[in-house]
Amino acid sequence: MPSPYPFPCIPSRREACIDVGHPQSPNAALPPADKQLTLHDTLRPEHLADLYITLSTRDGSGSVRPYAPPQEGTPLSYGHHLAFFHPRNPEAALRSDGTDTDFCPPEPFTRRMWAGGRMEWKRPLSVGDKATARATIGAVTKKRFEKGTPMVFVSQKIEYRKQDSSEVCIEEDRAHVYLAEAGNKRGAREVNGLPAPEFSFEYTPSPTTLFRFSALTFNGHYIHLDKEYAQKSEGYPERLVHGPLTALMLLDVATLHLPGSAFKSFEYRAVNPIVVNRPVKISGAQTDKETVVVWAEETASKVVGMTGKITLAKA
């Protein structure tokens, strides 16, 4: 049902956007439950090699492990599917901040942030496989409408399969939050109750890191690429590190320190922005036989940017 309020999507993008109704109305219409997006990709070793050389856990520049290019037929590492299955939309179809309109709410909810998600590994995908990702709407949640600072959370459910197979290899829930105003309107959120770290890894996400990851994921969001945009339009001190890059680093550091462990699932939540050129410490601790808690924090300020929980597969 079309919204009775005058807040349509941009005309050329109308079919891609989600109608949530009037931006101040908590009773606005929900999007159609059958909206979906299907993407096909090949888990090419060349593309993964570019990812490896982007990640400081794999680029061979430190002492953690030498660079080893991905080999066709070997299992795809945890989280590395995030470098594939991106929408391929023409520039004219993007929003003014460079983001895709797939699964987006209409204006004025144009400021997108990666909020968190969950992954569950059911069957292996291998380097070189042809695969398909099918994304549907999991949930649309509207918050703070009654307080005049509305935000819309859009959750996608994504299933990854090998080409021509009905068996799901990876199930993923992915949540974005869309704001009507600049995102940096609050102080840092505190995170309590984290365990004492049993392992850690430090790195500094540079502008080159952000550019390379944006290129790998076909992500044109200015908040990662344009310093002036991040400061003047979004109110942040500098460009922000991608949420999926931090999530991937949490997984990669855990695999580095838990060699041979099989992961069943991973839940994570973005808590505070992580800013380019600031050293970041990835830490983790195994709290019981099946649970590993991981988190990313700015080394100097100790502000936690992302938390996560890895559930290990039973032996």
Side-chain angles (χ1 to χ4, degrees), residues 13-84:
R13 308 164 196 163
R14 185 180 301 270
E15 292 183 356
C17 292
I18 292 171
D19 183 7
V20 294
H22 193 287
Q24 302 299 329
S25 171
N27 298 315
L30 292 174
D34 59 351
K35 182 175 177 61
Q36 61 180 273
L37 180 66
T38 301
L39 298 168
H40 307 279
D41 217 332
T42 301
L43 308 179
R44 295 173 288 109
E46 297 84 1
H47 192 70
L48 280 169
D50 291 340
L51 176 65
Y52 283 19
I53 213 69
T54 300
L55 302 177
S56 53
T57 47
R58 292 180 179 266
D59 66 358
S61 62
S63 58
V64 289
R65 58 181 159 197
Y67 173 73
Q71 300 297 316
E72 194 157 342
T74 58
L76 185 71
S77 295
Y78 297 109
H80 287 199
H81 67 280
L82 293 172
F84 298 90

Side-chain angles (χ1 to χ4, degrees), residues 249-308:
M249 286 294 293
L250 291 177
L251 287 167
D252 230 41
V253 170
T255 60
L256 185 66
H257 290 277
L258 298 167
S261 295
F263 295 179
K264 178 183 179 182
S265 64
F266 172 53
E267 301 175 38
Y268 64 98
R269 181 183 175 216
V271 184
N272 291 293
I274 296 178
V275 179
V276 71
N277 285 330
R278 295 183 183 179
V280 173
K281 180 186 286 187
I282 307 289
S283 301
Q286 187 164 349
T287 56
D288 60 44
K289 186 181 295 185
E290 298 177 3
T291 306
V292 180
V293 175
V294 288
W295 64 96
E297 64 182 352
E298 288 191 352
T299 305
S301 68
K302 307 298 183 185
V303 171
V304 175
M306 184 175 284
T307 60

Side-chain angles (χ1 to χ4, degrees), residues 84-302:
F84 298 90
F85 307 105
H86 50 257
R88 295 174 176 88
N89 295 316
E91 185 174 345
L94 304 180
R95 280 188 158 169
S96 60
D97 62 355
T99 57
D100 294 291
T101 57
D102 302 292
F103 298 108
C104 72
E107 293 185 343
F109 298 100
T110 59
R111 302 176 187 274
R112 185 184 77 180
M113 299 291 287
W114 191 289
R118 183 180 187 275
M119 307 171 193
E120 183 174 353
W121 293 275
K122 295 178 170 293
R123 296 171 182 83
L125 284 171
S126 298
V127 178
D129 280 349
K130 294 181 183 295
T132 299
R134 180 177 178 271
T136 57
I137 293 175
V140 177
T141 306
K142 292 160 285 185
K143 294 186 178 181
R144 301 182 66 88
F145 276 64
E146 71 285 356
K147 297 181 179 180
T149 54
M151 58 182 68
V152 178
F153 287 82
V154 178
S155 174
Q156 300 174 44
K157 286 189 173 294
I158 311 173
E159 295 179 338
Y160 301 87
R161 296 174 172 86
K162 293 183 180 181
Q163 184 175 286
D164 300 324
S165 173
S166 62
E167 295 183 328
V168 176
C169 296
I170 304 171
E171 284 185 353
E172 180 180 357
D173 294 312
R174 181 183 300 180
H176 290 93
V177 58
Y178 293 86
L179 309 176
E181 298 179 352
N184 196 26
K185 295 283 188 179
R186 59 170 175 79
R189 288 194 180 102
E190 290 188 13
V191 176
N192 300 309
L194 294 173
E198 295 176 352
F199 59 82
S200 63
F201 177 89
E202 288 195 40
Y203 84 111
T204 301
S206 69
T208 298
T209 310
L210 270 57
F211 171 81
R212 286 181 165 185
F213 195 77
S214 289
L216 281 163
T217 55
F218 211 55
N219 183 351
H221 196 178
Y222 292 173
I223 205 167
H224 308 303
L225 301 169
D226 189 325
K227 178 179 179 179
E228 184 176 358
Y229 172 85
Q231 292 174 332
K232 294 183 178 180
S233 295
E234 296 284 359
Y236 293 101
E238 246 285 15
R239 289 154 287 186
L240 301 187
V241 179
H242 310 68
L245 173 56
T246 302
L248 203 158
M249 286 294 293
L250 291 177
L251 287 167
D252 230 41
V253 170
T255 60
L256 185 66
H257 290 277
L258 298 167
S261 295
F263 295 179
K264 178 183 179 182
S265 64
F266 172 53
E267 301 175 38
Y268 64 98
R269 181 183 175 216
V271 184
N272 291 293
I274 296 178
V275 179
V276 71
N277 285 330
R278 295 183 183 179
V280 173
K281 180 186 286 187
I282 307 289
S283 301
Q286 187 164 349
T287 56
D288 60 44
K289 186 181 295 185
E290 298 177 3
T291 306
V292 180
V293 175
V294 288
W295 64 96
E297 64 182 352
E298 288 191 352
T299 305
S301 68
K302 307 298 183 185

